[in-house]
Amino acid sequence: MEMTHLKGKLFAGIAAVSLAACAFAAPAFAANDDDPYNRSAEVTVTKAAGQIDWTAPTEIPFAAAGDGTMVTPSETALQITNNSDFAIHVTNIQFVKTEGQINLVGKNDAMTTNNSMWFTMKTGNTTIDAKNALSGIDVSSDKSFNIGYKGSSTDSIGINAEGKIAHVSLDLSTAKKVGHVVWTVKSGAAE
């Protein structure tokens, strides 16, 4: 008898703790006090982590003309393309300069030192000067960097690059690395 009584108290204690835990747990469905027979649940959707699929140029090649003007591929050849089923936008652009032989200057700076070079990247109405992008430029609210979903008429943006080099003492018969551009993207469009 003692054992049965102890088991009953133990069962009652476990049941009370379980009932209390259920009372404090978040409900799976929202309560509808007006109708005890129906409940509703909010339906949401978000991108899965790491599921943005996009491509960007892996190289922006410049060729120096005799007057120092830089010739580059067209903006149709230099594109950022969205391969995701949802819109994305570029949020930040940074130029990381390679230490070495090219002296990067701003477009409006004097080009007085040997191997001085400036270049810009333009998308829509926004022009990014590489020298100004050394610390990164926030373009998260710039609609020029919105890229539509895969297959839409806006699923890519072109990059129109231009530049100039002056006082060249380097042998440019082989490519000299200047640095690289880092684009950061996020899902959704800038508003």
Side-chain angles (χ1 to χ4, degrees):
M1 282 286 201
E2 287 273 333
M3 197 61 149
T4 306
H5 185 65
L6 185 58
K7 283 183 182 177
K9 283 185 177 183
L10 182 61
F11 178 74
I14 291 172
V17 169
S18 297
L19 186 57
C22 289
F24 292 110
F29 297 98
N32 183 347
D33 294 334
D34 297 336
D35 186 349
Y37 301 104
N38 292 301
R39 300 291 183 257
S40 64
E42 184 176 353
V43 177
T44 63
V45 63
T46 186
K47 73 160 187 68
Q51 294 304 309
I52 296 178
D53 183 5
W54 61 292
T55 58
T58 56
E59 182 181 23
I60 301 176
F62 286 98
D67 65 354
T69 302
M70 306 295 259
V71 180
T72 63
S74 70
E75 66 181 305
T76 56
L78 296 174
Q79 293 196 345
I80 298 174
T81 302
N82 184 9
N83 301 309
S84 303
D85 286 328
F86 45 84
I88 63 173
H89 67 279
V90 178
T91 59
N92 193 65
I93 300 170
Q94 181 178 11
F95 182 70
V96 180
K97 186 182 176 321
T98 300
E99 293 300 321
Q101 305 160 323
I102 302 293
N103 296 307
L104 187 66
V105 298
K107 181 177 181 176
N108 298 319
D109 294 345
M111 298 179 73
T112 56
T113 59
N114 282 352
N115 307 310
S116 295
M117 177 184 172
W118 65 260
F119 79 93
T120 60
M121 300 165 288
K122 182 177 181 180
T123 297
N125 295 323
T126 303
T127 300
I128 305 293
D129 188 317
K131 173 112 189 235
N132 297 335
L134 290 171
S135 297
I137 295 178
D138 180 359
V139 293
S140 59
S141 61
D142 188 334
K143 293 180 182 180
S144 298
F145 292 96
N146 284 347
I147 308 170
Y149 58 86
K150 173 180 64 180
S152 69
S153 62
T154 59
D155 68 356
S156 62
I157 57 174
I159 301 157
N160 185 2
E162 67 172 342
K164 189 162 180 105
I165 194 165
H167 306 289
V168 181
S169 62
L170 299 171
D171 176 7
L172 293 181
S173 62
T174 59
K176 303 296 184 250
K177 188 171 181 180
V178 179
H180 59 274
V181 179
V182 178
W183 286 280
T184 304
V185 299
K186 184 177 181 182
S187 63
E191 298 183 19

